[in-house]
């Protein structure tokens, strides 16, 4: 017998109808789908049963209008809404062309008119990824991001997990959790890998061959760090460096451009003993280490030469130095004199905030030259908007070491 004729669907806005084809023979009618527009018909398979593929070859399939298409969801709320309730990919989009794009997302709103995204990824799983990209080629790039319609860019040789280019901000990371990371970089190679590499001004970088957590290069500045907390009685620092072991146990901590909880400003502040050192070349051209003198109090020093005239001399402290030191009964001016000629000896008297006298013993009247050295306590001073205490420093408490270790 002849199969039943399919039901003709309503005519769409462009005059397209949908019918089921007429069956034939003694079997029941087949369930094929036929798209028609004028005399150009497209027949898709048949019968349509579970796990049956419909191949579209040689033409494009365009679905226009305001409706939504759902796969795995009965009430789609997006133009293409795909869901999956199993531990598999929701969708796999593959491009086998050498220069093709696996997936492309675009927000076509007028420039500056909205805040939409070309591609947006989010996950609620602790170990999930909002957006995941992988390139299996040894020199490929997993994720490529371009902002501001940048036309000229170069991916690092050898490929990269992600490459991002913009006229303003290449990579922007934001974390709203107190324990989160805006940007986190990790290299697991134990030899010479780098967790994060930053290059400004396109310079040729130099870094330790053993690798590092971060390596940064720039034409004027390799690294810039800023801390903005100016609250009094708060320990802060623009740089925080820890020496420790693989278990996150610190043996020493050094802060740079820091403040203590007792409102003293430090250029460099270390939690445990360590030398402030430099090096010079020895007679064979090899580096030899020199060390800076460090004292319990914070001092400024000056050196000079003077001469006795009929057994007396007055030395005036440089006014720039005098402006920045504290000289009083509690913080005395410390003067050291070395004679360079024969006389009865000398003593120092009339010490003030601006100078001192050197007088020959026993009423002597020689004209001997001498070298002098003075040591003064540094005066308290305004650093930014905060008053830093310097004059009374002596074995003040060291920095508080905070071991919020990153272990990832």
């Amino acid at each position: 017998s002849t199969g039943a004729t399919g039901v003709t669907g309503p005519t769409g806005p462009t005059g397209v109808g949908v019918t089921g084809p007429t069956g034939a023979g003694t079997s029941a009618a087949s369930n094929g789908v036929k798209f028609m527009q004028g005399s150009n018909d497209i027949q898709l398979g048949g019968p349509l049963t579970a796990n049956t593929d419909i191949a579209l070859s040689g033409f494009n399939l365009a679905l226009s209008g305001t409706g939504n298409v759902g796969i795995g969801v009965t009430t789609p709320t997006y133009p293409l809404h795909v869901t999956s309730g199993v531990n598999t990919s929701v969708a796999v989009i593959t491009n086998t062309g050498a220069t093709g794009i696996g997936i492309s997302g675009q927000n076509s709103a007028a420039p500056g008119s909205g805040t939409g995204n070309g591609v947006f990824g989010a996950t609620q799983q602790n170990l999930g990824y909002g957006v995941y990209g992988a390139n299996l080629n040894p020199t490929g790039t997993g994720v490529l991001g371009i902002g501001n319609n940048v036309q000229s860019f170069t991916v690092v040789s050898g490929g990269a997990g992600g490459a991002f280019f913009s006229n303003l901000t290449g990579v922007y990371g934001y974390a709203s959790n107190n324990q989160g990371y805006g940007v986190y970089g990790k290299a697991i190679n134990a030899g010479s890998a780098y967790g994060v590499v930053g290059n400004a001004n396109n310079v040729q970088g130099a870094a330790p061959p053993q690798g590092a957590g971060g390596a940064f290069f720039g034409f004027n500045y390799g690294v810039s760090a800023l801390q903005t907390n100016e609250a009094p009685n708060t320990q802060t620092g623009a740089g925080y460096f820890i020496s420790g072991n693989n278990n996150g146990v610190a043996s020493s901590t050094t802060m740079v451009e820091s403040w203590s909880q007792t409102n003293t400003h430090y250029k460099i502040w270390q939690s445990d003993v360590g030398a402030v050192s430099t090096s010079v070349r020895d007679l064979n051209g090899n580096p030899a280490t020199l060390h800076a003198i460090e004292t319990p109090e914070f001092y400024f020093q000056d050196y000079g030469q003077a001469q006795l005239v009929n057994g007396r001399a007055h030395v005036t402290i440089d006014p720039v130095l005098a402006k920045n030191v504290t000289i009083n009964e509690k913080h005395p001016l410390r003067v050291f004199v070395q004679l360079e000629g024969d006389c009865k000896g000398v003593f120092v008297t009339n010490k003030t905030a601006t100078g001192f006298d050197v007088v020959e013993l026993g009423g002597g009247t020689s004209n001997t030259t001498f070298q002098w050295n003075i040591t003064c306590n540094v005066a308290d001073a305004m650093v930014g908007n905060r008053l830093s205490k310097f004059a009374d420093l002596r074995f003040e408490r060291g920095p508080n070491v905070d071991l919020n270790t990153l272990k990832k």
Side-chain angles (χ1 to χ4, degrees):
S1 62
T2 301
T5 301
V7 179
T8 301
T11 300
T14 58
V16 179
V18 180
T19 71
T22 300
T26 59
S27 62
S30 59
N31 298 317
V33 179
K34 186 175 183 180
F35 294 83
M36 300 186 305
Q37 181 173 7
S39 61
N40 298 320
D41 300 345
I42 301 174
Q43 180 75 45
L44 304 181
L48 297 180
T49 60
N51 300 319
T52 297
D53 295 336
I54 299 176
L56 302 179
S57 176
F59 58 89
N60 299 322
L61 175 61
L63 303 177
S64 61
T66 58
N68 300 322
V69 176
I71 301 176
V73 58
T74 57
T75 308
T77 56
Y78 304 102
L80 177 59
H81 192 164
V82 183
T83 65
S84 174
V86 295
N87 295 326
T88 59
S89 300
V90 170
V92 176
I93 301 175
T94 304
N95 187 306
T96 59
T99 60
I101 299 174
I103 184 170
S104 174
Q106 178 177 344
N107 187 315
S108 299
S113 64
T115 59
N117 305 290
V119 174
F120 175 80
T123 180
Q124 296 181 353
Q125 305 304 316
N126 291 338
L127 299 178
Y129 307 95
V131 174
Y132 177 83
N135 189 311
L136 303 183
N137 189 292
T139 60
T141 299
V143 176
L144 175 64
I146 299 176
N148 311 114
N149 196 28
V150 173
Q151 299 298 317
S152 177
F153 55 85
T154 302
V155 180
V156 63
S157 61
F164 305 92
F165 307 92
S166 172
N167 288 334
L168 297 175
T169 303
V171 176
Y172 175 80
Y174 174 82
S176 60
N177 188 288
N178 291 337
Q179 302 299 321
Y181 313 98
V183 175
Y184 178 83
K186 180 179 181 180
I188 60 175
N189 188 300
S192 58
Y194 297 88
V196 176
V197 175
N199 188 324
N201 314 115
N202 196 30
V203 302
Q204 295 297 319
Q210 299 84 2
F216 304 93
F217 322 113
F219 185 74
N220 292 308
Y221 304 99
V223 176
S224 175
L226 169 68
Q227 66 84 18
T228 59
N229 186 356
E230 292 187 331
N233 305 312
T234 302
Q235 179 177 295
T236 60
Y240 194 100
F241 300 90
I242 302 173
S243 175
N245 59 27
N246 290 335
N247 295 322
V249 178
S251 58
S252 176
T253 299
T254 301
M255 289 189 289
V256 178
E257 190 59 39
S258 60
W259 284 87
S260 72
Q261 291 179 313
T262 53
N263 297 316
T264 294
H265 179 251
Y266 296 89
K267 291 180 289 187
I268 300 175
W269 197 23
Q270 189 177 29
S271 65
D272 289 272
V273 64
V276 178
S277 307
T278 187
S279 63
V280 296
R281 296 295 173 177
D282 64 13
L283 299 180
N284 296 318
N286 299 315
T289 301
L290 295 177
H291 306 288
I293 296 175
E294 299 189 72
T295 63
E297 300 180 29
F298 187 20
Y299 298 123
F300 283 161
Q301 293 184 319
D302 199 8
Y303 299 82
Q305 176 176 299
Q307 183 175 1
L308 296 175
V309 178
N310 294 324
R312 300 184 67 90
H314 179 75
V315 177
T316 300
I317 300 175
D318 189 303
V320 176
L321 178 67
K323 178 183 178 180
N324 293 283
V325 297
T326 295
I327 299 174
N328 52 35
E329 184 177 351
K330 183 179 179 181
H331 309 92
L333 174 65
R334 299 165 177 88
V335 182
F336 306 91
V337 174
Q338 175 63 54
L339 292 169
E340 294 187 324
D342 187 14
C343 72
K344 297 179 180 181
V346 295
F347 64 95
V348 177
T349 186
N350 297 329
K351 294 189 293 184
T352 68
T354 59
F356 57 92
D357 291 339
V358 179
V359 181
E360 187 173 353
L361 295 172
T365 59
S366 66
N367 298 316
T368 302
T369 59
F370 61 91
Q371 301 291 329
W372 58 264
N373 160 233
I374 60 174
T375 300
C376 314
N377 290 94
V378 177
D380 296 348
M382 292 297 298
V383 180
N385 296 323
R386 295 173 65 178
L387 177 65
S388 179
K389 298 179 180 179
F390 294 136
D392 293 323
L393 297 180
R394 184 173 178 84
F395 287 121
E396 67 276 14
R397 181 176 177 176
N400 296 326
V401 178
D402 185 8
L403 295 183
N404 290 324
T405 308
L406 299 178
K407 298 178 69 176
K408 288 251 182 175

